[in-house]
Amino acid sequence: MDKITLLQTFVVAANEGSFTRAANRLNTSNQLISKYVAQLEKHLDVRLFNRTTRKIHLTEAGQQCLLHANNILESVNDMESQLGLLHTQAKGVLHVSAPVSFSTLHLSAALAAFQNAHPNISVNLQLNDRKVDVVDEGLDVALRAGHLASSALVAKKITTIKLALCASPAYLQRYGTPTHPSQLRPEHYLEYAYVNYDNDKSELLKALKANAQKVPPKLIANNGEVLTDVAKQSDGYVLQPTFITGEAVKRGELVAILKDYVPQAISLYAVYPHRKLVSNKLRVFIDFISNYFEDTPYWDE
């Protein structure tokens, strides 16, 4: 029997002054009350009650035990109330990991709107394009783009992310606009360091992989914004999400090419450890950003 139940039974018996009245109060049997008190006495190695045929009286040890038991049970009640409040109210610190470029270009505005709607939630945001360990790094949630491998983590789709192969108008004027991936010049490829060629079987990715094996790419970087800025300087072509390249394409600084060969769209997911034990602060965060970005995000409209 757990110690909290033993203490609760002891306190009721002490307050009622009778095992029989304590049994009626707790809707149980007189024998079970006596058994629980005996277990507590054995555990503490003291006698808590002096018993008569009709009444029970606290011993000196029992009086001391009653003071401690009341304090313990009050602390337990306070703990349950506080934890229940955290579960039902959106408050506390939310630890979030997110990709660098997506955060600087789009998530910052979403976070500002989120905190206006939920002022009692403080966000600790860590930006990193590597795959972080949500559990080991003490995170509540990680935003990840791509095709997720199966794991014990829970993943909820936030939005769709399209990819685009882009080059500047000046680059295309100088070298021509390719109509097939085989026409790409591998020495002009601006490669994202974390690209995974094995997750998609598109003809374009096969060509990029084959080209990279023949000739080193012009530039490899772990930041898509840097690669996109280099491409705008007429220095090569880049494969990046439209949330990075979209504005440059709209302004005419880049041109999307080989649209029929671009890999299939990927997704942005919120990845977190538990399905049942989700805090309210995390639940409202996921719901908010899902509604904010929607399945077709604003940068693709």
Side-chain angles (χ1 to χ4, degrees):
M1 176 56 59
D2 66 274
K3 296 174 185 176
I4 297 298
T5 299
L6 297 182
L7 289 176
Q8 289 171 332
T9 303
F10 162 70
V11 169
V12 172
N15 291 336
E16 294 293 332
S18 164
F19 286 175
T20 301
R21 288 197 294 270
N24 292 335
R25 175 86 176 272
L26 296 175
N27 195 27
T28 187
S29 67
N30 189 5
Q31 291 79 9
L32 192 59
I33 297 295
S34 180
K35 176 183 177 182
Y36 286 174
V37 170
Q39 287 181 359
L40 183 60
E41 289 178 327
K42 181 178 180 181
H43 176 73
L44 297 175
D45 196 25
V46 295
R47 187 174 183 83
L48 298 174
F49 292 106
N50 288 319
R51 299 164 175 83
T52 66
T53 55
R54 294 187 177 182
K55 292 200 68 175
I56 56 174
H57 302 276
L58 286 169
T59 64
E60 183 178 357
Q63 292 173 352
Q64 291 295 318
C65 183
L66 182 60
L67 291 175
H68 289 296
N70 282 328
N71 289 333
I72 291 169
L73 294 176
E74 184 178 353
S75 296
V76 170
N77 289 335
D78 288 343
M79 178 187 69
E80 290 175 342
S81 298
Q82 289 298 319
L83 292 179
L85 197 63
L86 286 174
H87 183 72
T88 57
Q89 294 186 0
K91 63 184 298 184
V93 180
L94 190 68
H95 297 270
V96 181
S97 173
V100 177
S101 294
F102 178 78
S103 299
T104 57
L105 294 174
H106 303 285
L107 186 60
S108 54
L111 286 178
F114 171 74
Q115 293 193 296
N116 283 334
H118 301 281
N120 292 324
I121 297 179
S122 174
V123 177
N124 184 328
L125 179 64
Q126 301 176 25
L127 303 186
N128 207 314
D129 285 335
R130 67 177 174 83
K131 183 180 178 181
V132 299
D133 190 308
V134 178
V135 176
D136 285 351
E137 300 189 28
L139 298 167
D140 292 298
V141 61
L143 301 184
R144 290 181 183 167
H147 304 283
L148 298 184
S150 59
S151 74
L153 299 175
V154 181
K156 175 177 173 55
K157 181 181 177 182
I158 300 301
T159 189
T160 299
I161 296 178
K162 294 181 179 179
L163 301 174
L165 186 69
C166 298
S168 69
Y171 175 88
L172 297 177
Q173 184 176 7
R174 182 176 180 182
Y175 296 101
T177 301
T179 59
H180 190 272
S182 62
Q183 297 173 354
L184 292 170
R185 296 171 178 261
E187 67 273 16
H188 296 168
Y189 181 34
L190 307 171
E191 181 178 308
Y192 181 56
Y194 296 134
V195 67
N196 189 338
Y197 293 111
D198 297 327
N199 283 339
D200 195 293
K201 304 304 181 183
S202 72
E203 195 169 353
L204 176 59
L205 281 183
K206 290 179 181 178
L208 293 177
K209 180 180 180 180
N211 288 343
Q213 291 173 341
K214 296 176 184 177
V215 180
K218 186 179 186 68
L219 172 66
I220 300 176
N222 64 353
N223 182 272
E225 291 176 83
V226 170
L227 294 168
T228 301
D229 285 341
V230 172
K232 289 191 291 187
Q233 309 305 315
S234 308
D235 240 8
Y237 57 91
V238 65
L239 177 66
Q240 283 295 302
T242 55
F243 67 72
I244 295 179
T245 62
E247 283 301 312
V249 172
K250 291 177 182 177
R251 291 193 298 264
E253 297 172 317
L254 290 175
V255 177
I257 59 176
L258 297 178
K259 295 181 181 180
D260 292 339
Y261 298 94
V262 171
Q264 64 182 355
I266 57 178
S267 296
L268 179 72
Y269 295 94
V271 180
Y272 52 98
H274 304 292
R275 184 179 298 277
K276 294 182 179 179
L277 302 177
V278 178
S279 64
N280 205 33
K281 63 184 178 182
L282 176 56
R283 184 179 293 107
V284 298
F285 174 75
I286 293 174
D287 289 343
F288 185 92
I289 61 173
S290 296
N291 293 330
Y292 186 92
F293 292 113
E294 301 182 331
D295 189 57
T296 300
Y298 58 83
W299 58 79
D300 284 333
E301 293 177 352

